[in-house]
Amino acid sequence: AELRKAGFVESSRNAGFHYYSVATKNGDWWGVMSESLRQRADDKGDLARLTQVLQRRREFSESADRFVVPGRSWVAWSRALRFLLPRLKVADLGCGDGAFTLEMASWAEKVYAVDRNARFLQLARERSEGASNIEFLEEDMCRTSLPDGAVDLVVISQSLHYVELPLEALRESHRLLKPGGRVLLLDLFPHEEEWVVNELKHRWMGFPAEKIEQWLEQAGFRGIEMDTGVRQTPDPFRIIIACAVKNGESNFVTDR
């Protein structure tokens, strides 16, 4: 419908069916676009993502429970955590536009949102307007102004691949944590999508689990747990999740 409104396709109706075809009133735009696409390499994984979308649609249409999942969302699940977690002090290192920061603020006592990118930090402020328990810091996540042992939890979500020296960020995380505090790391498994270096300014094209574990140990963490996930679709990116503890085991019972 949107393509038709924009004049890119024409529609006709016959026997209750709608038929669409490429509009010709704007010249041979489709021929020019098709030739351009044929000459370009799929350097952004567009075909992989298209295949993934079609696969998900097919799985959804074939699912026996597709009519009983309205309302299922990661946002609702995140907000449900407030009923399970103690009131933690959290450092969100490399907070970006603040999407996760705001969700953490719904259950945390305090969230320190750290990012050295002023533009992203402003977006995070705008997104989090009205949340009184978030403090924004325009600082390098490897060298923050927060004192030793300031937080119970450090979250590094999809920001370690921007850091030149990831080990330094993990050492800073260790410094910021109270004894028994945890670091939660979410990042990318190694991939071959080279476009992220130029277009998104990634310094690292993902991390192998062994390297993450090595860095966590060198930073002083123990009790390291990992989940590298299983890619069941052609999605070119796979998430690696790591959690580790400062000075032994933790049940997140704080000493305040």
Side-chain angles (χ1 to χ4, degrees), residues 1-224:
E2 296 302 320
L3 291 174
R4 180 174 56 80
K5 290 179 182 178
F8 290 113
V9 299
E10 299 172 341
S11 66
S12 60
R13 186 171 180 174
N14 185 19
F17 293 92
H18 282 278
Y19 296 90
Y20 295 89
S21 60
V22 175
T24 57
K25 62 182 179 181
N26 294 325
D28 188 25
W29 66 270
W30 177 249
V32 174
M33 180 179 292
S34 299
E35 182 61 26
S36 176
L37 291 173
R38 276 194 293 269
Q39 294 177 2
R40 293 181 61 189
D42 184 36
D43 58 342
K44 296 185 181 180
D46 291 335
L47 292 180
R49 282 184 283 279
L50 174 61
T51 304
Q52 178 187 9
V53 169
L54 295 176
Q55 175 67 19
R56 286 179 176 174
R57 288 181 178 178
R58 183 163 54 251
E59 291 174 352
F60 181 77
S61 65
E62 295 173 354
S63 173
D65 66 346
R66 64 184 182 278
F67 298 115
V68 294
V69 293
R72 181 173 62 184
S73 74
W74 70 267
V75 174
W77 174 245
S78 173
R79 291 178 179 173
L81 292 176
R82 75 179 70 178
F83 301 110
L84 303 176
L85 294 174
R87 300 279 287 172
L88 305 174
K89 289 185 177 179
V90 184
D92 185 6
L93 301 187
C95 67
D97 65 3
F100 284 174
T101 308
L102 185 58
E103 293 306 318
M104 286 187 282
S106 70
W107 47 259
E109 175 185 336
K110 178 86 172 182
V111 180
Y112 297 98
V114 180
D115 204 296
R116 66 179 180 181
N117 187 309
R119 183 172 63 87
F120 277 133
L121 208 60
Q122 181 58 34
L123 291 174
R125 287 192 181 97
E126 293 172 0
R127 180 191 294 270
S128 306
E129 186 176 357
S132 60
N133 61 336
I134 303 177
E135 182 176 337
F136 296 95
L137 300 173
E138 187 180 335
E139 298 177 352
D140 189 330
M141 62 186 287
C142 296
R143 292 176 295 277
T144 74
S145 61
L146 295 170
D148 295 357
V151 298
D152 308 293
L153 172 66
V154 171
V155 175
I156 307 177
S157 179
Q158 300 302 336
S159 55
L160 197 65
H161 51 246
Y162 290 105
V163 178
E164 183 177 0
L165 299 172
L167 177 56
E168 295 306 307
L170 295 177
R171 283 176 171 159
E172 176 68 359
S173 301
H174 190 273
R175 183 187 72 80
L176 293 178
L177 285 168
K178 298 178 180 181
R182 296 193 183 200
V183 60
L184 179 64
L185 171 67
L186 293 83
D187 216 286
L188 300 177
F189 206 66
H191 59 85
E192 299 179 354
E193 301 297 306
E194 297 182 358
W195 62 272
V196 302
V197 176
N198 292 327
E199 298 202 14
L200 301 181
K201 309 305 179 186
H202 289 199
R203 291 179 179 268
W204 298 81
M205 292 177 56
F207 303 100
E210 306 81 47
K211 178 57 69 175
I212 293 293
E213 183 174 14
Q214 177 187 355
W215 282 337
L216 286 170
E217 288 179 346
Q218 290 177 343
F221 288 102
R222 298 295 179 265
I224 300 170

